[in-house]
Amino acid sequence: GTSMASPNVAGSALLLQQHNNNSHGFYLKAATLKGLILHTADDAGANGPDAVFGWGLMNTKNAALKISEDQDINVIDEIVLTEGGLYEMVVVSDGTEDLKVTICWTDAPGQPVSAQLDPLNPMLVNDLDLRITLADEIFYPWKLNRDTPQFMASNDSENDVDNVEVVYIKNPVAGEYTVIVDHDGSITEGAQAFSIIIGGVTNTISL
């Protein structure tokens, strides 16, 4: 980025923390703030993340509006997933807005590899997985292919490399969707905190 990118994002993030503290009485976790910023960013390239624009351009107004929306509907939450656990939430869509769910977590420290260019070693320690279901249909998160960075992100299977996962459903049919978060492998120290941000719904119901 440019010399102004970092202070712009940092200052905007601080204002979002202030807004959340004023409206909710506490400050967001780092993973929640990061997930919120990515969730509400304006897409600058193809749908989903890409190797040029990342998740897009920060939209501080959208992020602040999401914090305000959370006063009426639970669209921002901080959860702890335990070993072997499963988190579920029902989200209600009326079909008028695209449905979008983001999870983000601060992963446990991994084991660094020797200095090299684009190592193939998996770096994720706690592999959480997000998916959304409607009847027999399963919606998976975006993911990029390191071998073909010029291609658009796909969303046809689990993402096992990133600690930010976003499921995006364009023009959803009205109905009750089930959001599911679980994990592959074991969880270091038996528990992993994660944050969830939800958009395009009229109600949310934790199960």
Side-chain angles (χ1 to χ4, degrees), residues 61-198:
K61 179 181 178 180
N62 280 351
L65 290 173
K66 182 60 63 178
I67 291 173
S68 297
E69 181 187 358
D70 186 60
Q71 296 178 89
D72 300 316
I73 305 174
N74 183 22
V75 291
I76 303 174
D77 212 347
E78 297 174 341
I79 313 294
V80 175
L81 188 71
T82 56
E83 178 76 30
L86 176 75
Y87 173 79
E88 290 184 296
M89 169 187 278
V90 171
V91 297
V92 182
S93 169
D94 62 8
T96 63
E97 295 183 58
D98 297 342
L99 177 57
K100 186 177 185 181
V101 176
T102 300
I103 64 169
C104 181
W105 66 99
T106 301
D107 197 29
Q111 182 63 42
V113 299
S114 59
Q116 55 187 290
L117 179 63
D118 294 334
L120 294 175
N121 310 63
M123 298 297 179
L124 201 60
V125 176
N126 291 332
D127 181 13
L128 304 192
D129 289 308
L130 168 68
R131 62 188 181 277
I132 299 176
T133 63
L134 178 67
D136 295 330
E137 192 168 8
I138 302 176
F139 301 90
Y140 291 103
W142 294 116
K143 63 178 179 180
L144 292 168
N145 188 325
R146 67 177 302 280
D147 296 322
T148 54
Q150 72 277 16
F151 291 168
M152 292 175 56
S154 61
N155 57 356
D156 54 4
S157 60
E158 291 183 348
N159 181 329
D160 58 2
V161 296
D162 298 312
N163 66 332
V164 177
E165 297 191 2
V166 178
V167 174
Y168 176 74
I169 305 174
K170 188 173 181 61
N171 300 322
V173 298
E176 294 187 351
Y177 294 74
T178 301
V179 178
I180 301 170
V181 180
D182 57 13
H183 67 91
D184 288 338
S186 60
I187 291 184
T188 300
E189 298 184 358
Q192 173 64 61
F194 72 93
S195 305
I196 187 167
I197 301 93
I198 302 160

Side-chain angles (χ1 to χ4, degrees), residues 9-84:
V9 171
S12 298
L14 185 61
L15 290 174
L16 292 174
Q17 287 283 35
Q18 182 183 40
H19 178 41
N20 197 85
N21 189 51
N22 289 341
S23 60
H24 290 71
F26 63 90
Y27 295 106
L28 299 169
K29 292 182 177 179
T32 313
L33 184 60
K34 177 181 177 179
L36 174 65
I37 291 171
L38 299 184
H39 180 93
T40 56
D42 291 329
D43 212 333
N47 286 334
D50 61 66
V52 177
F53 298 101
W55 287 103
L57 301 174
M58 183 176 181
N59 188 321
T60 309
K61 179 181 178 180
N62 280 351
L65 290 173
K66 182 60 63 178
I67 291 173
S68 297
E69 181 187 358
D70 186 60
Q71 296 178 89
D72 300 316
I73 305 174
N74 183 22
V75 291
I76 303 174
D77 212 347
E78 297 174 341
I79 313 294
V80 175
L81 188 71
T82 56
E83 178 76 30

